[in-house]
Amino acid sequence: MRVAAVTHVRKDDFFLDIWVRYYGRLLGRENLYVMLDGDDWQTEVDLSGVNVSLMEGRSGHRIADNERFIKAHWDLLTALKGQYDFFVRGDCDELVCVDPQSGRSFHEAIQDAADVGYRYTKGIEIVEVPGEKPLAPSKPLMAQRSVGAISKLYVKPNIVSGPTELTIGGHVAVGKPVALSHDLLMLHMANASLRHLEMKVGVRTSEQVGVTFTNHTSGRLSLTRNVAACRDIVPYDDVADKVYTEIGKRGDRGATRPRDLRTYNAIYGHDIENPWENRIMVVSLPDRFDDII
């Protein structure tokens, strides 16, 4: 079975390096495809043996640029059609892996997408909390973090067999039900390093146009603050099955959230008056995740 990994990146060497090393070990560097956003910067990450292309046409407007990212992914997957059986697609701070308790390999778990042509993965936002040291990329990442958040927004169709119509940000496969993988996790690492997050927010905010990116970054920082303040943290294995089952019931309606999980915690500060639109389950992570990436 032939599997490739596809991502895009702008001014983020920290997670690009982690992404390349992680998927390079799993799939081989020759099966990695990195789209660099804009010609006004250069990466210092070692991309030898990796397929690299340049994305042009950046506007600075978050929504417009997200639409451009989705189109770029579509165009690349179209160009590669027939060369690979499956693609792992997502941002460079999104790492798809297999839950160790499944006993399956990465390729075996991806094979589950063969029946429908795509699979949503079980998203977990990894969050740095007070008392944890800065993230050291040279060490196992998950051994350095103990808390995560299960969010509907990061249960995404990361595994596709070819070009797939996606909503802005790649969160939903348009017109298709949530076919959720049983064994594949997607660890969203944006909040796993507070130092890097604050740096990235500063860089991005200085070059963006409009309020949509400002709202996005303020929400991302609110996630760290509110998870740190949360006192209702439950073990991942105690709630994961129910949470993901409820998320999977939303069908193809991108705005629907689970309705019967009373221990959800509102996070995004600017949406606190309408908290259901942005709710998460704060969980402690099991020890078996320590060596997952």
Side-chain angles (χ1 to χ4, degrees), residues 79-273:
L80 295 173
K81 190 174 182 179
Q83 298 182 41
Y84 293 97
D85 300 298
F86 297 103
F87 300 90
V88 184
R89 56 149 307 279
D91 299 342
C92 65
D93 57 12
E94 298 176 352
L95 303 176
V96 176
C97 53
V98 182
D99 189 329
Q101 73 177 359
S102 73
R104 306 176 77 190
S105 71
F106 190 75
H107 285 71
E108 288 171 341
I110 285 179
Q111 183 64 37
D112 289 346
D115 56 348
V116 294
Y118 66 97
R119 281 286 167 181
Y120 283 70
T121 55
K122 294 179 175 179
I124 309 174
E125 299 211 59
I126 309 304
V127 183
E128 178 182 336
V129 295
E132 293 180 334
K133 297 179 180 179
L135 197 66
S138 61
K139 301 177 181 179
L141 300 186
M142 295 299 290
Q144 303 174 59
R145 295 293 175 259
S146 60
V147 176
I150 303 176
S151 165
K152 171 262 163 190
L153 292 175
Y154 284 92
V155 172
K156 301 172 64 173
N158 294 100
I159 309 300
V160 295
S161 59
T164 302
E165 185 180 0
L166 304 173
T167 57
I168 294 175
H171 292 274
V172 174
V174 177
K176 298 180 179 180
V178 179
L180 187 64
S181 170
H182 185 267
D183 298 321
L184 289 172
L185 307 172
M186 191 276 278
L187 306 179
H188 186 222
M189 304 297 291
N191 284 71
S193 172
L194 182 58
R195 177 185 299 177
H196 178 71
L197 176 61
E198 291 173 339
M199 180 277 295
K200 187 174 180 179
V201 166
V203 170
R204 293 290 181 84
T205 302
S206 69
E207 62 180 21
Q208 294 292 324
V209 178
V211 300
T212 56
F213 190 85
T214 302
N215 289 343
H216 176 74
T217 54
S218 64
R220 181 82 11 227
L221 291 170
S222 291
L223 171 60
T224 289
R225 290 194 297 270
N226 286 289
V227 168
C230 181
R231 296 296 177 265
D232 183 22
I233 301 177
V234 293
Y236 172 84
D237 288 327
D238 287 358
V239 297
D241 286 347
K242 183 173 184 180
V243 173
Y244 291 123
T245 297
E246 289 300 313
I247 289 174
K249 289 179 180 178
R250 78 178 191 270
D252 64 351
R253 296 172 298 166
T256 302
R257 272 42 172 190
R259 297 291 179 180
D260 64 351
L261 298 170
R262 298 184 181 279
T263 51
Y264 264 53
N265 306 277
I267 54 165
Y268 288 91
H270 58 274
D271 269 342
I272 210 74
E273 293 181 359

Side-chain angles (χ1 to χ4, degrees), residues 57-70 168 212:
R58 181 179 173 276
S59 71
H61 291 271
R62 180 170 177 264
I63 293 177
D65 283 332
N66 278 346
E67 291 176 339
R68 185 168 56 94
F69 296 153
I70 292 300
I168 294 175
T212 56

